[in-house]
């Protein structure tokens, strides 16, 4: 029920001027594909609570803060002011009962 042509126009406008994808490693045609490395870390409950509180004080979600931090990292790694990345969302309404436990 979404207006696909309107969505495509909006994305084309938003991404106008980008000349290439955001790469964090140089292209190497001879390199074999490998699985990405995974880095995990955790925050204490106190640090997490402080971060959530700070985000809310600025009208942001914790997810928005994390994505903003990732954008800054990409900008530094690439030396570019234009860093493009995305996330996958379910598209389900937050008020749907049990939405946080649904898969697929």
């Amino acid at each position: 029920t979404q207006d696909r042509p309107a969505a495509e126009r909006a994305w084309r406008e938003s991404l106008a001027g980008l000349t290439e994808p955001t790469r964090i490693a140089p292209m190497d045609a001879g390199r074999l594909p490998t699985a990405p490395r995974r880095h995990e870390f955790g925050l204490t409950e106190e640090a997490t609570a402080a971060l959530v509180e700070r985000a809310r004080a600025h009208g942001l979600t914790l997810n928005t803060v994390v994505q903003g931090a990732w954008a800054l990292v990409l900008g530094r790694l690439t030396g570019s002011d234009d860093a493009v990345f995305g996330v996958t969302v379910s598209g389900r309404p937050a008020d749907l009962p049990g939405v946080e436990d649904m898969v697929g």
Side-chain angles (χ1 to χ4, degrees), residues 18-27 69-85:
L18 291 174
T19 59
E20 62 184 2
T22 300
R23 299 185 195 281
I24 57 175
M27 290 291 295
W70 179 237
L72 292 172
V73 169
L74 284 176
R76 284 271 171 99
L77 287 173
T78 63
S80 174
D81 290 336
D82 291 324
V84 180
F85 63 96

Side-chain angles (χ1 to χ4, degrees), residues 12-91:
R12 286 190 185 280
E13 283 179 27
S14 294
L15 299 174
L18 291 174
T19 59
E20 62 184 2
T22 300
R23 299 185 195 281
I24 57 175
M27 290 291 295
D28 182 357
R31 191 176 80 200
L32 294 174
T34 59
R37 285 184 241 151
R38 183 179 179 134
H39 298 278
E40 293 185 35
F41 70 95
L43 296 175
T44 64
E45 284 186 37
E46 294 80 17
T48 301
L51 193 54
V52 168
E53 183 178 324
R54 184 84 169 159
R56 285 184 182 158
H58 292 280
L60 302 169
T61 65
L62 186 55
N63 183 53
T64 301
V65 172
V66 170
Q67 287 189 42
W70 179 237
L72 292 172
V73 169
L74 284 176
R76 284 271 171 99
L77 287 173
T78 63
S80 174
D81 290 336
D82 291 324
V84 180
F85 63 96
V87 297
T88 303
V89 297
S90 72

Side-chain angles (χ1 to χ4, degrees), residues 2-13:
Q2 295 180 358
D3 186 345
R4 283 196 168 286
E8 186 175 333
R9 278 192 305 277
W11 279 111
R12 286 190 185 280
E13 283 179 27

